[in-house]
Amino acid sequence: QCSVTFTFHVIQCITDSDRAADLSFLTDRVPLVLLRLALLWYHTVVLPFFALDGSDTHEGLLEAKAILQRKSVVYPNSSLFMFFKGRVHRLECHINSALACFHDALELASDQREIQHVCLYEIGWCSMIEMNFEDAYRAFERLKNESRWSQCYYAYLTGVCQGASGDLDGASGVFKDVQKLFKRKNNQIEQFAVKRAERLRKISPTRELCILGVIEVLYLWKALQNCSSSKLQIMNQVLQSLDEASCRGLKHLLLGAVHKCHGNMRDAVQSFQLAARDEYGRQINSYVQPYAVYELGCILLAKQETVGKGRSFLLQAKEDFTDYDFENRLHVRIHSALATLKEVVPQ
């Protein structure tokens, strides 16, 4: 099988180019199979997360499926191709099929630790999507113990999933470890993990607050849209039951996102408006207001009669807020939404 590290170098070349589709400059430099793997990474990981160029991911998934169909005959026991097959299933919301692929890839990669770790990561995320918290925390716990990438981040995911499963004592112990594992002081993900773990440790975690933490990362990593209606309904019930004042804005932001995934735009708008007006929890959840304003803008962009108002909300989210968690991530999404708007309505 191909070197994961070398593949990631090819991926870096692609994501740094002006247009990911323009790959001709690479064809003479790297084996074609690595280009295929890099394209699979772009279409199933990079594009869905960042929504680059404001484009729909549907065509990318079709291309990914075509590559996988051709290469599965040539590389029937490739852990990497099996991994990407799982990514396609996940993006199509076939979570059980995705989990089966990731477990198969994990087994095929018995002597390739890097691939094992990306498979464990996806198993953890798919388990969170399915609200199977015990399987999720076991996957993240293994990453916390084995991975050198971000033990702090994996410890936080382990803690919230362990707490969400009902093991609050175990979760409290893991939250104490998060600070000890905090090594990359300028890394926004680790900063976020430390702040969240410290807060949960101080107030004594409840199962509901840990589930809130799971829903929050699903939202921030754009995985809520992969959740089934039944799981979204459970999330809605948990969020509605929370009455912690400091979490009120976050609660409404996540409720809005859940309603949006359900297609219930009226309730989504109401929840996002409540989140955008939350001042009390702003110091604890600094990103809630700009993200809520952004979400309102995106909903309003969907209707021709409110496009102008939607654009104003996007610009407000971009210009009126600074120094909050995941600011760069939101700016990428705002840029993407505005770029789409320019294509539809030339400025």
Side-chain angles (χ1 to χ4, degrees), residues 164-332:
S165 74
D167 183 1
L168 297 176
D169 290 338
S172 295
V174 175
F175 289 140
K176 291 178 183 178
D177 292 338
V178 173
Q179 178 65 52
K180 300 174 187 175
L181 296 169
F182 182 35
K183 296 177 181 177
R184 299 189 295 173
K185 307 301 182 183
N186 295 322
N187 182 282
Q188 62 177 353
I189 295 176
E190 292 201 2
Q191 291 170 353
F192 170 81
V194 167
K195 285 188 289 186
R196 282 293 188 264
E198 181 65 14
R199 182 175 175 278
L200 283 168
R201 189 181 65 80
K202 284 182 176 179
I203 64 175
S204 296
T206 64
R207 185 167 184 263
E208 290 72 23
L209 285 173
C210 288
I211 295 175
L212 172 74
V214 171
I215 300 170
E216 180 181 30
V217 293
L218 288 173
Y219 168 73
L220 287 170
W221 271 257
K222 297 186 73 173
L224 273 182
Q225 52 261 53
N226 299 142
C227 298
S228 66
S229 293
S230 61
K231 297 300 186 290
L232 289 170
Q233 186 58 42
I234 295 171
M235 293 177 191
N236 179 65
Q237 292 170 358
V238 172
L239 291 169
Q240 294 284 8
S241 71
L242 286 168
D243 198 30
E244 178 77 25
S246 61
C247 295
R248 193 170 295 135
L250 177 60
K251 163 187 170 177
H252 289 303
L253 175 68
L254 299 179
L255 276 172
V258 168
H259 288 312
K260 184 179 177 182
C261 289
H262 261 145
N264 187 352
M265 295 305 170
R266 175 179 292 183
D267 286 346
V269 167
Q270 290 179 352
S271 293
F272 288 138
Q273 287 173 336
L274 289 170
R277 290 198 294 265
D278 178 60
E279 292 290 341
Y280 180 77
R282 186 172 183 177
Q283 296 302 315
I284 298 173
N285 303 308
S286 60
Y287 75 88
V288 166
Q289 287 185 317
Y291 271 72
V293 173
Y294 159 78
E295 293 286 2
L296 285 168
C298 288
I299 290 176
L300 292 170
L301 285 183
K303 292 185 178 180
Q304 187 63 39
E305 61 270 24
T306 56
V307 165
K309 193 172 182 181
R311 183 175 183 275
S312 296
F313 273 121
L314 291 178
L315 293 175
Q316 180 187 348
K318 179 181 178 182
E319 297 168 1
D320 289 3
F321 303 92
T322 57
D323 299 323
Y324 55 88
D325 293 327
F326 305 113
E327 182 175 352
N328 290 339
R329 185 179 298 187
L330 183 61
H331 280 195
V332 170

Side-chain angles (χ1 to χ4, degrees), residues 35-48 56-72 80-92:
L35 291 181
R36 298 301 184 208
L37 289 169
L39 273 173
L40 287 170
W41 184 272
Y42 177 76
H43 287 308
T44 66
V45 179
V46 177
L47 189 59
D56 190 348
T57 60
H58 178 68
E59 289 186 7
L61 282 181
L62 289 178
E63 182 170 351
K65 290 168 78 171
I67 293 171
L68 288 168
Q69 187 173 13
R70 292 194 301 269
K71 296 302 176 183
S72 62
L80 276 174
F81 284 116
M82 185 62 69
F83 166 81
F84 286 119
K85 185 178 178 181
R87 281 293 304 176
V88 170
H89 280 308
R90 176 181 156 180
L91 292 168
E92 292 182 329

